[in-house]
Each structure stands twice: as structure tokens, then as C-alpha cells.
Amino acid sequence: MGDYDHRSIEAKWQRFWEERRLFYAPRDARRPKYYILPFLPYPSGDLHMGHMRNYTIGDAVARCKRAQGFNVFHPIGWDAFGLPAENAAMVHKTHPRTWTLKNIARMKEQLRLFGFGYDWEAEVSTCEPEYYRWNQWFFLEMLKRGLAYRKKSRVNWCPRCQTVLANEQVVEGCCWRHEETPVEQRELEQWFLKITHYAEELLADLDKLAEGWPERIRLMQRNWIGKSDGARVQWAVAGSDKLITTFSTRLDTAYGAVAVLLAPEHPLVNELIAGLPGSAAIARKVGVLRQQTRRAQVTGEVEKEGIFTGRFAANPFSGDQVPIWVSNLVLMEYGTGAVQAVPAHDQRDFEFAKKYRLPIKVVIQPLATKPLAASAMQQAFTGPGRLVDSGPYTGMPSEKALEKMMDDLARKGRAEPVTLYRIKDWGISRQRYWGTPIPVVYCNACGIVPVPEEQLPVVLPLEVEFTGVGLSPLLNVPEFINTSCPKCRGKARRETDTMDTFIDSSWYFYRYLSPHHDTAPFDPDLVRRWFPIDQYIGGAEHAVLHLIYLRFWTKMMRDLGLVDHDLAVTRLFNQGMVIKDGAKMSKSRGNVVSTDEMVEKYGADTARLFTLFAAPPEKDMEWTQAGVEGCQRFLQRLWRVISKHAPRLRPVSPNPASRPSPLGEDERDLLRKAHQTARRVTTDFDSRWHFNTSIAAIMELVNELYALEPLEETVSPPVLKEVFDMAVLLTAPFAPHLAEELWQQLGHPQSVLETPWPQTDPELAREEECEIVIQVNGRVRSRIRVSEELPDSEVLEQALADPRVAGLINSQRIAKTVVVPKKLVNIVLAS
């Protein structure tokens, strides 16, 4: 029998899989397709076990789907451009490309050590000219259609480095290299993509994704797009012919306005304060607020502040004069850069008014509670109600008043209805080196001239010097900058900004299908056959930007005639984090678990099994050494019991027709357990991916085998071979190396990867059910039927997911739960 030598066995089967190209997906196969992939990884260096959880989930699903008869395409590549490589070049005195390629080689080695079944023939790396050539092509196509344009925009500027900083390089308002230097705001010409052109479509499509995308991700995207139906309203500045245009979604609260707030960058600010007493001091304060507003956009942590300009504006309804303030509450990028401040009915305005002792005027009273008194309010009332102290609109329901007030003011030419979106056009200019060059030149005679398509790619030069000071290093490469104008052949200068690396990751999954296609970004026939993606897996930290950008990119390609679909990804899965020592596993916290050490000491199969067994994959999991060792013991038990009996079972056929008749009681119980396990594992793969319960079910089956030892006396060879085969095939997605070795020991000539998924006998797989009563705080709220074999943890999970129960619990904290097996679940809510 021998011990399970994971080192030699895992290396053996990794070589076997690669030599046989068993993970290659024929692009033109007639079997049903299944396209699954992880988010594009950044090659940052050594992978740790926090990373491996994501890849293990996808690999387990891919292996199961392959066994179920699907033509599985499971590729991976590298998000190879980006700021970390440029920073590393300065720190380690190396080139970003050298650092990146070294990391890619290292990470590929680690992924192979874990036996992940990627189709390496589809690999792409975004820093290669054959890839980023098409970034440039897309840019030129968007430029032709007005979807790419140039305008001035603010950037983070370090006066000491004399360079632009990414948001990530701003630490508490200061430069990351020397924290004593405050970051300034400067305006530079920047390139933008018109993502707002698709804002309404991006919003509407979230409803189409209801079945396949997590609700919290769709909500985050909905909020980021941020549709607001409201009104632009004109306020006359006292003693002036100037008008301030505010944006409001609650015109029904206008009689409660106690101030007009302007963004610090509002173009009227300087005019309003010019010539007033103390204008110099006001201007200095406005300068401070401008810096704070930008910092708030980056960190969200700036305290609300403002300053009175000394000027007033007339309320367009009441005519009352209200003070004009400048405040970092207001962003110039959203709405009109000016708002009416109504502290009684907006929480941010309420906090601002309390701080600066502005009056609070209640103009909407709730219908179902006692009237509000401004002096007693602890927070704003933001709901609907009935208007009070609102002139001719007093007594009207707020919804009706909103419509009436809009109509009345519009007839006077002082308001217009408008729909605005929080999402802004995508600024793609980066004053950095390690990215895709933007394919335009600047000619004194012709202006901005796109690089002709036949001259693509504009190749990033490799001979550059990194100092960390000044703008892009490309400015110091005359061979790159100096060129000729494609129109007039005169002298021209290349654009030295590079593209945001989110562009690289917005369409790479199309390129996987034809990574070396040289006449278009991808082969359209293969895209029609393989899209949409069946399963996309990655962390929730990419919930907003990456997932919005990829949706935008697909729509843009549809309008270019490259694809015939609206949605690239039908199903999205966000895995939970790996927690160690109370914090997310990460290099910066120093709490990582080395993948190399795990593979050396315990084996890749043990590491894979533990990451899937410790918790449901969408939940955070706690890393424990005891859990790792427990999984290792289980694999050793499985190895021992099958290896012990495999030699005599090699010639035995596991065909059900070979079973003895009649079956012995132990044999029938064992077969029932095996088929019930197969049904459970299959259900988990086909629906909720609760691999922890799948593995627990396989462990129970192995326990059953040990309980029947000596198996040669209690179970006939055909039955035992059938059960062993099922156990191995069900284990294969989780511990594939061990499964392959045991499958070979059992006498099977083909690989597990070439073997169909086990079929269950409905009669043997049937489980007795029982009714579970669900109580909330002692009161019966629902009843569900579950398998009598279901563990208590799963019963509780199903009880909590019951719609009648979930609606009652909502966001309340659960104090404790009690499960009485096969009878009752009681959920006690915190009082």
C-alpha cells in the first residue's frame, strides 16, 4: 500500500496533464461550452494562500463541468501594466518589464504547483505589444466616434517630486514618498472616454443581471451610476445680475432652504467675493476647501467645512434672501456645483447647519407621527409628508407639491427638469511610463492627429530612466517623442501620457479565445460561439470600477459591430476573504501563509481541500493550522482505505449489473450512502457551491467505509469498486492529484479528467425528509422540508434563507440560534 507521498504524486500528474494537453479546450468542439475564468491577476510576486482560494474555487468548478460533458474553457493571463511595477523599478533599480516578467514566471510556477487546470495556450499578457496594439486601435475607433476626447482636468500634484500622483499615492493628503509634503491640485489636459453615453443602459442592464450577479454588487454599481431626477433652479444674487443655478431632487423642500452652498471650484466664487471686506481671507479659506474637496473624493474622510461669502441669493419661491456659502460638501463634478441647503430635510445639511448655527426650518411634516419641532430635531426628516410654511403649497402632499412647484417655476423660466448621473466620463490619461501609449501626435499645423492604424502599435520604448521626479519618463526619450505628422509630414510630438490599466482588463477575456489574432482584436466567430462568459470569479473589491468598465467596453464593441451581445458576463461570483490572526491575509500585514511551504509540507491537495472546506466560498474563512492538518488526515484515510483494497479490485467491473442479488444489508446501506453523497455533491456544484458540505459528505462516506472493515468480508467486490469509483470521482475536483493516483490504482486506463461525472441512482439517492418548524423569538413563522441527513448547520442556513424569515430578520442582529435536529429552528433576535 505505502504512504501517500504527495510530492512525487503531485509532480507526476501535473506533468501528465500538461503533456496530454488535457486542459486545452478545442475552440470548435460541438459539446456544450462552459467559459469560466478568474479576474485577471496582477503579477505582484509570490502568491499566498489568500490568493489561492479564488483560483481553487474556479478550478474545482471547471473540473466538475468538464466531467459533466462540457467543453470547458478555463484561461488565465496577466494584468501586466501598472504603477506598482514602476515603483518597484525605482526601489529595486530594475526595469518594470524585468520585474513584471520575473513575477509572471514565479506566479505561473506556483499556479502549476497547485494543479490548476488552465488552458495556458490562451495566456495573454497586457504589457506585450501584440495585446496593447488593440487598446490603441479601440481608442482610435472611439476617437472617430466622439467617444474619446480631451479636456482639462484636475490631478494630484506633488510639488517636491514635481510629478502627478495616482489617488493611491496620496496618503492623508500628502505624497506617499515624503508624508510631510501636502499634495496640490493642478489642471492638466487629459483624455477621457465617454462612458456617460451609456449611463442609462448600464443602469437598466443591472435588472437583467438579477439572477447571476450578487445583489450587493448590483446595488454598488447602481449607486455609482447614481441616477437622479431633479431640477435646475435659478437663484438671483442680491445686488447683482448674476444667477446661481442649483440642482435639487427635492424641490418640495425649497421653502426650508436657509443657504445656497457652492462648490469651492464653482466659477462664480471669485466674482462673488471680489471687492468685499475680508475677501483675501475668504479666498485663502476657499483655497483650503478646494484641497479638502479633492481629498474627500479620494478618501471620503474630510470634515464638513464652509465659509460665508458675504453675499445673498433670493429664494425663487419665497423671495427670502439666504446667505451664499462655499462648502466642501458640494462637488463641482456632480450636478451644477451648487445646492440649496435644507437642514430640516437633508442629513448632511443638518450637520452643516448645526456646526455653523444656521437656522433649521421644517417645511414637511410626517403623516404618521407627531409634528416635528426644529428645536427638538436630532436628525433630518428625509421622508415624504405634508408641506407646512410653504406659501401656496402648504397642506399639499410632498409628491404632489414637487410636481406643482416644478411646473410653476418652469413657467416663469426659473427651473427645468433634468436627469443627472453621478458617474462621470472615464479619465484614462496617466502621466506614467508603464502603460499603453496613447496613439496621437501633436502637430503645430494640424493639431491633434491620430496615429494611422497601419502604424500600430505605438511601441513603448524600453530604454528609459526612472527618477520619480517630474512627469512621465517618456518626456526624456527624444526618439519616442519626436516624430512626423501623419497628415502634413511636418514635425510633431507624440503624446506621452499612457492609458489607465483598467482598459487592459476591460476586454482581455475576448482576446483569450484567439490570443495571437493579428487582423482584429479577436476572432468574431469564436466570440459568437463562446460568449457570454458562464462564470466570472473574483473579489468584491472590484465591484465598481472594473465591472462597470467591462460592461461599458462590451457595449462600445457592440456599437462598433464587433460583438452581437450586450452583456459579457452572465454569472459573477465573489469569494470571501481569508482571515488570519484576526485580519485579512496580506503581505502588508505580515500574516500570509506561503504557498510553497504549504505544498512542501502538506501537499497541494491538502491546501486546496482546506480552502474549500473551512467555509462556504462566498464567506470569509479563518485560517487554522488544525484545519489544515485535519484535511491532510482525511486525504490519508481515503488513500489508505482505497490503496489497501485496490489491487484485488483492478479487474472488477463496477457496472451495477455486476452487483450481487440480493444485496446484503451493509452493501445496500453503503450504496445508498455513496449515491446520496453523489447527489449532494452534484447539487452543490450545480447550484450554491457549498463545497464545505460536499467535502463533509465525502468524509462521511469514508467513515462509513472504515466502519465496515474488513471490507473484503462485508462488501462484495463489484459494490466496493462502484463505491470507491464514486468516492474518487467526487473527490477529484477538490484533490485532483490524489484522485488521479487512486483512479490508476483501481485499474482505470484513462485519466479522471477523461471520465464522466458519476451518475446517481434515484432510488438509492433518495433521502427521507422531515418538516422543520422555524421560530423567530419563539413564534412560529414558517416551515420547510429538508433531508433528514442534512447537517444542522445546513438546516439553519436554509431556515435563515426562507423568504418569510429573512424578511422578518432584515438587518436585525441575531443573538443566538437553536437547532433541534429534525424538528425545530429557533432564531432569537437581539432586543
Side-chain angles (χ1 to χ4, degrees), residues 39 76 124 131 151 161 172 200 238 267 273 288 311 331 347 399 411 479 585 652 657 731 734-735 767 792:
F39 288 7
I76 198 167
V124 298
Y131 183 88
K151 70 172 183 178
C161 293
E172 296 183 357
E200 185 60 35
I273 64 177
V288 172
R311 303 295 292 270
L331 301 179
Q347 185 59 31
E399 295 92 338
R411 277 197 297 270
E479 300 84 359
M585 190 178 288
V652 175
T731 302
F734 312 118
E767 299 182 32
D792 289 350

Side-chain angles (χ1 to χ4, degrees), residues 288-474:
V288 172
L289 292 174
R290 283 178 181 155
Q291 296 299 322
Q292 290 177 340
T293 303
R294 182 61 178 168
R295 204 177 311 155
Q297 291 175 321
V298 176
T299 67
E301 297 174 353
V302 172
E303 184 181 352
K304 301 172 184 66
E305 289 191 31
I307 187 168
F308 175 41
T309 63
R311 303 295 292 270
F312 292 83
N315 186 309
F317 287 100
S318 67
D320 293 346
Q321 298 291 316
V322 300
I324 303 171
W325 284 64
V326 178
S327 172
N328 61 6
L329 268 178
V330 188
L331 301 179
M332 194 65 220
E333 290 83 358
Y334 185 69
T336 62
V339 300
Q340 61 180 27
V342 186
H345 305 293
D346 182 280
Q347 185 59 31
R348 296 202 315 161
D349 294 348
F350 182 86
E351 294 166 5
F352 187 83
K354 285 289 188 182
K355 178 172 182 175
Y356 291 103
R357 299 184 180 179
L358 296 176
I360 296 175
K361 295 172 63 176
V362 176
V363 293
I364 294 181
Q365 290 287 358
L367 299 176
T369 60
K370 65 181 181 179
L372 297 172
S375 60
M377 292 180 73
Q378 299 299 309
Q379 62 184 23
F381 171 66
T382 59
R386 194 172 296 278
L387 270 65
V388 297
D389 297 329
S390 298
Y393 310 102
T394 297
M396 295 178 66
S398 53
E399 295 92 338
K400 184 177 179 181
L402 182 64
E403 184 178 342
K404 173 70 171 163
M405 293 169 78
M406 178 70 244
D407 290 343
D408 289 351
L409 208 57
R411 277 197 297 270
K412 296 177 182 178
R414 301 287 300 278
E416 62 173 344
V418 65
T419 297
L420 296 180
Y421 297 90
R422 185 180 302 275
I423 191 172
K424 298 303 171 189
D425 284 343
W426 179 4
I428 65 162
S429 291
R430 298 294 181 267
Q431 292 72 40
R432 321 226 70 84
Y433 162 72
W434 193 234
T436 299
I438 295 176
V440 298
V441 303
Y442 299 95
C443 173
N444 288 335
C446 305
I448 299 173
V449 182
V451 173
E453 183 179 336
E454 60 270 17
Q455 294 182 18
L456 299 182
V458 177
V459 177
L460 194 66
L462 297 180
E463 299 300 321
V464 294
E465 183 181 358
F466 296 92
T467 64
V469 176
L471 292 171
S472 169
L474 292 174

Side-chain angles (χ1 to χ4, degrees), residues 270-290:
N270 291 338
E271 291 185 50
L272 290 174
I273 64 177
L276 292 178
S279 60
I282 296 173
R284 284 194 296 272
K285 178 63 176 178
V286 169
V288 172
L289 292 174
R290 283 178 181 155

